[in-house]
Amino acid sequence: MRLRRAITTDVRVHAPAASVVAVHSAAPGSVERVGVELVAEPDAPGWWSGSFEAPAGHHYWLTVDGRGPVVDPSCRDLVRAADGWVSVVRAPWQRRVQAAPLASGPVVYEAHVKGFGGSYLGCIERLDHVVSVGANVLELMPVHPFDDSTNYWGYMPLVWGAVHRGYATDPDRAAEELAALVSAAHERDVHVWLDVVFNHLDDTVEADTSCGPGALDPLGFYRRHPNGSLHNDSGCGNDVQPRSPWVRHLVIEALERYADLGVDGFRFDLASLLTRDGGGLVTRITEWAAARGVALVAEPWDMGGYQLGHGWPWPTWLQWNDRFRDDVRSFLRGEPGTVRAIRQRVQGSTDLFGPDGPTRTLNFVTAHDGLTMYDLTTSTDSRHRSWDCGPELRVQQLRNYFTMLLLAAGTPMWVMGDEFGRTQGGNDNPYDIDSELTWVDWSRAEQFAELTSYVRELVALRSRHQRVRFSFHGVGPRIDEGYDSHSIAWCADDLYVMANAWWEPLAFGLHEPGDWRVVLSTAAPTEVSTSGATLQPRSIVVWERSPATD
């Protein structure tokens, strides 16, 4: 029998009200255990520290004044045992480097590890598809450890700085398998971003029932109202306190560990909750990322705050732009009074971000939370701004969504499978459904091959043009931003886009000089000439200008 070598594990926790904090370890399934009391640090009130030796794979846990088991919030691995969640001894993983900078701007493909590939290693087999559609960033939904018996998406982390075992073919090597996925992406010039959830933990919070920080520092780790009740702007019951030095340490520690696996960027779920300290934690994260060379993306809102645009004062961060989502959906389903907003969205939402909008906005029509793009075309709902356009227009409307998304200024993102009509049967919140409903049905790739090809052509067209200088028109030379207008045209350098969201054909003129030709359309235009074209209802036509010759 091969013996595993002993590993020294350092433990340091903040438990200001505790009298005794101990760490215990045991082989999995064994009743024999070894306990070591942590030492109260004389120069750091409330902090307890110590170390122990145990072979890799052994379980360990904390007790606080005899209560437990309590997970080590800094553990590198986590597993469910007979008595509850326990930490697992493992050595620090090998440090890997980030990929070289992208050759062109990010095109983001959001995916769930299990839903996309079944496992970390299974996702490697799907990377060539990501590349084939023109995406160069794979954004993975959370890989923090979470209870996958009650949750599928992964937005209820148990700890922050470990890697979820449930996505690994060998659970003891989850971190290494995630690193293998990242490395395989890098070989294909694709970056990997992780969705991270630092705004709360899956913790009962109260000291006598908690298996996490609530058992150690229930008053300092989580935000509380003056009456002692918990803040719940995350909707999960226990918003963390970003002012806490321990919270700050754990966040940076987790980011460092993921970056050591080669991860190139991070999307912060409900990032605005991390600013409740006045911005100190986010500033620290920004400084760390600059030194480490990774990208940062904020979801700049929560149930109690909305900071999109200038409200998020860290210019190096991208921001999820839900205004882009809502306005594009509204325009394409034919709502009145939307042209003025669309004018802003396609040029980088300069009304929200100022002139540097194209470098700060992350545009999306769909994300994991909500309807898939296909399902937007199968139901009519004012909350989702969706429209059941009927089977005869379905693919055309999907092309419309992708055209608006990929030819607007800013960083585009879409969800796995949108490019071939993935459906969740109209379910807009399957956070706890682990079944064929939420897994990618790859058989649809053949059925919607023409849509996938169209997306590929759009990305290629986008990569040929920087889209820096914008001018706007309507069917005539001047844009019509009136309430009843349903059309817009814009010229961005050598691209000219005509968009007809009305239910009747519209004749558009070409109002920029040059030699133009139609390169893409969501429905074939009629009466095309050198001076313009007549667009079919609910369609978009894209022209490209030939380079001037001497």
Side-chain angles (χ1 to χ4, degrees), residues 472-481 511:
F472 291 89
H473 309 280
V475 295
R478 301 188 62 175
I479 186 172
D480 180 359
E481 296 182 347
H511 303 292

Side-chain angles (χ1 to χ4, degrees), residues 223 240-245 247-248 271-285 307 312 314:
R223 293 174 60 233
V240 302
Q241 174 54 270
R243 187 174 288 109
S244 162
V247 168
R248 293 183 178 189
S272 50
L273 281 174
L274 303 183
T275 70
R276 296 297 204 273
D277 62 347
L281 174 55
V282 175
T283 297
R284 174 73 186 91
I285 293 169
Q307 296 177 240
W312 187 266
W314 294 274

Side-chain angles (χ1 to χ4, degrees), residues 99-278:
L102 294 171
S104 57
V107 176
V108 184
Y109 192 95
E110 188 190 35
H112 183 279
V113 172
K114 185 172 184 180
F116 184 60
S119 65
Y120 299 120
L121 298 184
C123 286
I124 294 175
E125 300 175 14
R126 300 299 185 184
L127 285 174
D128 288 339
H129 172 77
V130 175
V131 174
S132 74
V133 295
N136 58 10
V137 174
L138 176 65
E139 180 178 303
L140 298 177
M141 290 167 65
V143 300
H144 309 288
F146 65 95
D147 184 353
D148 54 18
S149 69
T150 60
N151 190 275
Y152 172 67
W153 278 354
Y155 289 88
M156 293 293 287
L158 293 159
V159 296
W160 291 329
V163 177
H164 185 57
R165 286 175 151 249
Y167 299 151
T169 59
D170 179 355
D172 290 337
R173 292 182 53 80
E176 285 75 15
E177 292 192 13
L178 174 59
L181 168 57
V182 174
S183 178
H186 289 174
E187 291 172 1
R188 294 163 172 81
D189 297 321
V190 172
H191 283 197
V192 176
W193 295 353
L194 293 186
D195 198 336
V196 287
V197 185
F198 294 129
N199 55 77
H200 73 281
L201 284 170
D202 188 1
D203 186 7
T204 58
V205 178
E206 303 308 324
D208 57 345
T209 60
S210 171
C211 68
L216 297 156
D217 188 11
L219 298 181
F221 199 89
Y222 299 106
R223 293 174 60 233
R224 293 182 181 268
H225 295 285
N227 66 1
S229 63
L230 291 162
H231 281 267
N232 186 26
D233 289 334
S234 63
C236 298
N238 56 345
D239 304 348
V240 302
Q241 174 54 270
R243 187 174 288 109
S244 162
W246 194 19
V247 168
R248 293 183 178 189
H249 167 77
L250 290 171
V251 168
I252 298 299
E253 177 182 72
L255 292 172
E256 282 278 7
R257 290 178 182 176
Y258 293 139
D260 283 349
L261 295 174
V263 171
D264 305 285
F266 300 92
R267 179 264 186 187
F268 288 71
D269 178 68
L270 303 181
S272 50
L273 281 174
L274 303 183
T275 70
R276 296 297 204 273
D277 62 347

Side-chain angles (χ1 to χ4, degrees), residues 362-400:
L362 189 148
N363 302 326
F364 63 102
V365 176
T366 55
H368 66 271
D369 188 5
L371 298 174
T372 67
M373 194 177 290
Y374 181 88
D375 290 346
L376 285 174
T377 72
T378 63
S379 65
T380 300
D381 181 271
S382 58
R383 181 168 68 91
H384 291 297
R385 295 173 166 84
S386 61
W387 174 49
D388 183 356
C389 59
E392 66 281 353
L393 281 181
R394 194 146 289 142
V395 172
Q396 182 173 321
Q397 188 74 336
L398 291 171
R399 290 184 173 198
N400 288 338

